[in-house]
Amino acid sequence: FDMFTEVTINIQAGAQALVNLLEDYREPEQKVSHIKDLEHRGDQMTHDIMTRLNQTFITPFDREDIHELCSKLDDVIDLIDAFASRLVIYNIRALRPGAAELARIVRKATDEVHHAVTLLEKHDRILPHCIEINRLENEADTIVRAAIARLFEEEKDPVEIIKWKELYEVLEIATDKCEDIANVIESVVLKSA
């Protein structure tokens, strides 16, 4: 449980670093490098959990659920890094509406994931966090739809359209992965009820 909590703290740090990047979009390369470091740290933590899982005979809950939770947690930090890296790779000079708002939703969702994971050992008061994660994912869907509609309405450069459509979708997928985490946690709680 402590290992999962460490992973969620790292994910929260990545989400906050993404918000910081988008709220003050100066020197993005340096900020993206910090996010990449957090992603590498997350990979190491995931590896450590999987190693421990393979060495442990009795686990706190089903091996499949531990594996799934670990994988989904890793997906979130991977997507945060993917979005940030693409900003540099695509040479994004100015941000479009909705990007920072989506990053803030990802951060809120990672906060809820952290709270849910810290309660996982006791199975107490977890479901409200899972419900909030689902609500945030729905909110992100709405923002992405509006941002993409606005993109197609306002942007005339097809290359910019392709870049930004993908960027929006990466952030939306990050919220989907948070929802997947909530679903795994709910399953673990229901199995042990």
Side-chain angles (χ1 to χ4, degrees), residues 114-127:
H114 171 72
H115 294 307
V117 167
T118 60
L119 297 170
L120 194 53
E121 188 172 7
K122 296 176 184 149
H123 296 138
D124 189 30
R125 301 180 320 272
I126 291 179
L127 293 182

Side-chain angles (χ1 to χ4, degrees), residues 139-175:
E139 186 178 337
D141 285 347
T142 301
I143 292 167
V144 166
R145 282 192 291 271
I148 290 174
R150 184 174 181 176
L151 173 67
F152 279 99
E153 218 172 89
E154 296 175 355
E155 185 59 58
K156 300 304 173 208
D157 182 349
V159 174
E160 287 299 307
I161 291 172
I162 291 168
K163 289 177 187 179
W164 274 100
K165 183 176 182 296
E166 182 179 337
L167 286 166
Y168 287 133
E169 289 172 346
V170 168
L171 285 180
E172 197 274 327
I173 293 168
T175 63

Side-chain angles (χ1 to χ4, degrees), residues 5 22 42 49 55 68 77 103 111 122 134-135 146-147 154-155 160 171 182 189 191-192:
T5 299
L22 296 181
I49 290 173
Q55 295 172 346
E68 177 107 10
I77 192 70
D111 290 346
K122 296 176 184 149
N134 290 329
R135 188 195 69 73
E154 296 175 355
E155 185 59 58
E160 287 299 307
L171 285 180
V189 170
K191 286 178 186 177
S192 65

Side-chain angles (χ1 to χ4, degrees), residues 32 96 123 136 160 163 177:
V32 168
R96 291 198 53 89
H123 296 138
L136 289 165
E160 287 299 307
K163 289 177 187 179
K177 295 299 180 178

Side-chain angles (χ1 to χ4, degrees), residues 102-121:
L102 281 167
R104 285 189 289 274
I105 289 173
V106 169
R107 186 195 61 216
K108 289 176 187 174
T110 62
D111 290 346
E112 293 298 327
V113 164
H114 171 72
H115 294 307
V117 167
T118 60
L119 297 170
L120 194 53
E121 188 172 7

Side-chain angles (χ1 to χ4, degrees), residues 58-77:
I58 298 174
T59 58
F61 51 94
D62 287 349
R63 286 179 184 281
E64 297 80 23
D65 291 333
I66 291 172
H67 187 276
E68 177 107 10
L69 180 58
C70 192
S71 174
K72 299 301 181 192
L73 288 167
D74 187 53
D75 288 345
V76 174
I77 192 70

